[in-house]
Amino acid sequence: MTGVRGWTLRLRVVALLTVVGVLLGILVAAVIVVAAQNRQYTHNVLDRSGPLRAQSQELLGVLVDQETAVRGYAVTGDPDNLTPYHQGRDRERQLYQGMRSLIGPYPDLAGQLDTVEAQAGEWRATVAEPIIEVTARDGTAAGQALVSDQSRLRFDGIRASLDALQDGILAERERGAGRIYRTSSLLVVLLIAAVLVVVVAGVVLLVSLDRIVVRPLIGVAAQVRQVAGGDYRHVIAGSGPPEFQRLAADVDAMRRKIAEDLDEVREARERIGWVNGQLQRQAEELTRSNRDLEQFAYVASHDLQEPLRKVASFCQLLQRRYAGQLDERADQYIAFAVDGAQRMQRLINDLLAFSRIGRLTTGFTEVDLNKVMGDVAAQTEAARQYADAELTWGELPVIRGEAPLLTNLLANLVGNSVKFRRAGVPPKVRVSARLVGAEWEISCEDNGIGIEPEFTDKIFVIFQRLHARDAYPGTGIGLAIVKKIVEYHDGRVWVDTSVSGGTAIRFTVPALPEQVDAAEDTTTVRADGGRADGGETAGGVGATDGPDSPGGVSGGDRTGGMREAVG
């Protein structure tokens, strides 16, 4: 018993299942053997002894018909009376063949059948054929003289042999029925035994589970609840199989660790209280800092710009009044002063715009980017006329956002595309959109000077310039504003380096839920019925990358007004 108690739960279950499996295997093998015997006995009764009995009765009738036909011919001398005799002989041979194919398992019956066949042949040779021959040659009187008591006795012997054959067939049938009954009863006993084995195994399994699983688990659970109630010093002890004892040991180790952690938590609470106080003070300082920042923005937009405007105005007055009256160096100094004041004003304005993104908000509304692009085209019209630039855009979606910020975003992108153009090549700027998952991907592509791959991240950093100020004017803050506006709208922006012959800047904004649902419905329809004519995307807006792009304006793309362009 000591060895069994040391068994693991898995070993005990495997042992029980092995014993039950072996017993059930033996019972199943016995059931298969007995069922095969029962099937064979049933086959013999139904397919052998039954047909044998019916054919033996038919054989008796055939022989009686032959005897009657011979006697009738001896009386009348009419050859037609011999027809049953000849037909009976043919049928008799068929019955012998059929009965021998069925009588194999019964050797005693085969001998009796041979006796009947021999007696019938002897009767025909000694009685039937002589009567037929004498009657045909000498007449009916001579034939009737041969029909004697002795001939009748010979036929009665055949009849007795057939009766014995039938009695033997009936006896074999009864023995077969008895075997069927015994094997059927044995099958029932074996099935009952199998059910008992399963029931006993189930009872043993339930009792074993209660003793070696349920009770130990209940004990461990009760101790765990005691610890959970606050008694962290209570030692958890396990019982039952080794697995449960190890489980109890692991839980107790966890209890000890929790007790140690609780001690540390108590110490940490005091530190957390002190840290919370510090955070509260820092939050108050941050609030004051934000107020100071807003005050600085106000000062930058009003107080700092007023002196700059005065400096710039008087420098410009000096430049207009005394241009050409002083020496060349003085004109150059005045030009430097005017340019510096103007650049300082632009820097302050751009910094102000950058700092206000996300702070001074009018709230998100549904914004039609087609209308936004119309405003962008109007804002950039002067620059596009100067550069002979072409601005086109496809059908753009409706999104949630702030229209002024989105206008500023697209105006910066279009302005950069016009500014950074190749010499001698009229700029072409293309704005398009496509639905990717749950986001709209907006693209601004041009045929300008392009951006080297190693600088694609640097351009979105504030005040980062890739070219000298005299080559391309600006403060270097435009794309930083673009990035901040995109991130404020929960999107991302990047440069697509796979595009050659220009620059492609792409950014994402969340799509409206109904646009995503419509796209999924359209995808389902395409999967069921093939691509619809025209290839329209969900919501009527598509990725406008060519002249046949879906969602575009009928007959061509929308244009910024510089040229009538078909993209």
Side-chain angles (χ1 to χ4, degrees), residues 357-371:
I357 295 173
R359 290 195 308 108
L360 303 179
T361 175
T362 59
F364 278 20
T365 59
E366 291 191 359
V367 179
D368 186 355
L369 293 185
N370 294 297
K371 183 178 178 182

Side-chain angles (χ1 to χ4, degrees), residues 251-270:
V251 173
D252 189 64
M254 182 173 63
R255 175 198 60 82
R256 292 193 301 269
K257 183 65 171 62
I258 291 174
E260 296 172 358
D261 291 343
L262 283 175
D263 294 337
E264 296 178 359
V265 167
R266 292 189 186 96
E267 297 175 359
R269 280 180 179 175
E270 299 177 358

Side-chain angles (χ1 to χ4, degrees), residues 47-241:
D47 300 334
R48 292 185 182 275
S49 59
L52 277 175
R53 181 173 175 79
Q55 292 181 9
S56 66
Q57 291 176 349
E58 184 181 359
L59 179 61
L60 176 60
V62 168
L63 291 173
V64 169
D65 289 343
Q66 292 182 48
E67 193 267 342
T68 302
V70 169
R71 291 175 59 189
Y73 179 68
V75 171
T76 63
D78 186 359
D80 293 337
N81 289 334
L82 290 177
T83 301
Y85 174 77
H86 296 299
Q87 293 176 348
R89 290 189 64 181
D90 295 337
R91 180 57 184 159
E92 181 183 355
R93 285 192 294 271
Q94 295 174 0
L95 288 173
Y96 286 144
Q97 293 176 358
M99 293 177 71
R100 283 195 175 89
S101 65
L102 299 172
I103 211 166
Y106 313 115
D108 295 339
L109 297 181
Q112 292 178 350
L113 181 61
D114 292 339
T115 300
V116 170
E117 184 178 10
Q119 288 178 342
E122 183 180 357
W123 173 78
R124 277 191 294 271
T126 59
V127 176
E129 295 297 335
I131 290 176
I132 294 172
E133 183 179 352
V134 168
T135 300
R137 187 181 64 243
D138 300 332
T140 57
Q144 291 178 11
L146 294 178
V147 181
S148 60
D149 294 337
Q150 185 178 4
S151 64
R152 294 191 184 92
L153 288 175
R154 285 181 180 275
F155 192 80
D156 290 341
I158 297 174
R159 193 190 301 272
S161 297
L162 272 173
D163 291 339
L165 176 62
Q166 290 180 355
D167 292 341
I169 293 173
L170 183 60
E172 290 293 341
R173 182 182 180 86
E174 291 176 351
R175 281 194 291 272
R179 294 190 187 101
I180 293 173
Y181 176 77
R182 287 192 297 274
T183 53
S184 299
S185 301
L186 183 57
L187 277 175
V188 173
V189 171
L190 291 174
L191 291 175
I192 292 174
V195 172
L196 289 176
V197 168
V198 173
V199 171
V200 171
V203 172
V204 172
L205 183 60
L206 288 176
V207 173
S208 300
L209 287 176
D210 181 68
R211 293 183 59 186
I212 65 178
V213 176
V214 177
R215 293 181 186 177
L217 282 179
I218 291 176
V220 172
Q223 297 179 75
V224 169
R225 285 193 295 271
Q226 183 178 351
V227 172
D231 188 5
Y232 295 103
R233 303 302 175 186
H234 176 75
V235 178
I236 298 176
S239 61

Side-chain angles (χ1 to χ4, degrees), residues 226-439:
Q226 183 178 351
V227 172
D231 188 5
Y232 295 103
R233 303 302 175 186
H234 176 75
V235 178
I236 298 176
S239 61
E243 295 99 324
F244 289 177
Q245 296 179 13
R246 289 195 295 269
L247 174 63
D250 293 339
V251 173
D252 189 64
M254 182 173 63
R255 175 198 60 82
R256 292 193 301 269
K257 183 65 171 62
I258 291 174
E260 296 172 358
D261 291 343
L262 283 175
D263 294 337
E264 296 178 359
V265 167
R266 292 189 186 96
E267 297 175 359
R269 280 180 179 175
E270 299 177 358
R271 294 195 298 270
I272 291 174
W274 179 83
V275 170
N276 285 336
Q278 294 294 322
L279 289 176
Q280 183 65 30
R281 286 190 292 272
Q282 290 179 2
E284 294 173 356
E285 292 176 1
L286 182 59
T287 302
R288 288 194 298 271
S289 176
N290 285 335
R291 287 198 299 267
D292 294 342
L293 182 60
E294 292 177 1
Q295 183 64 28
F296 169 76
Y298 178 82
V299 171
S301 61
H302 295 84
D303 298 346
L304 289 180
Q305 291 202 55
E306 194 276 333
L308 277 175
R309 282 195 295 268
K310 184 175 291 185
V311 170
S313 298
F314 280 103
C315 287
Q316 290 172 350
L317 286 175
L318 285 174
Q319 189 178 38
R320 285 197 297 270
R321 176 169 296 182
Y322 297 106
Q325 298 181 21
L326 302 176
D327 59 5
E328 183 179 353
R329 186 178 296 273
D331 291 341
Q332 186 179 14
Y333 291 164
I334 293 174
F336 286 161
V338 172
D339 180 65
Q342 290 176 343
R343 283 195 294 110
M344 180 61 73
Q345 281 184 316
R346 288 195 296 270
L347 280 173
I348 291 175
N349 290 331
D350 289 345
L351 276 174
L352 224 91
F354 185 81
S355 65
R356 285 174 175 173
I357 295 173
R359 290 195 308 108
L360 303 179
T361 175
T362 59
F364 278 20
T365 59
E366 291 191 359
V367 179
D368 186 355
L369 293 185
N370 294 297
K371 183 178 178 182
V372 169
M373 280 303 302
D375 296 339
V376 170
Q379 291 182 18
T380 60
E381 182 175 2
R384 289 186 291 109
Q385 286 179 345
Y386 177 77
D388 193 23
E390 175 185 335
L391 171 62
T392 60
W393 65 92
E395 186 72 16
L396 300 178
V398 175
I399 64 172
R400 286 192 61 80
E402 292 192 24
L405 293 181
L406 294 172
T407 303
N408 191 4
L409 185 157
L410 290 170
N412 270 299
L413 292 179
V414 172
N416 276 358
S417 295
V418 174
K419 180 194 302 183
F420 296 101
R421 59 187 179 273
R422 286 183 292 172
V425 178
K428 292 184 179 181
V429 185
R430 167 77 174 164
V431 179
S432 60
R434 65 169 183 164
L435 186 62
V436 180
E439 295 180 324

Side-chain angles (χ1 to χ4, degrees), residues 24-39 187 190:
L24 289 178
I26 294 172
L27 290 174
V28 169
V31 167
I32 292 174
V33 173
V34 174
Q37 292 177 350
N38 181 270
R39 184 175 179 277
L187 277 175
L190 291 174

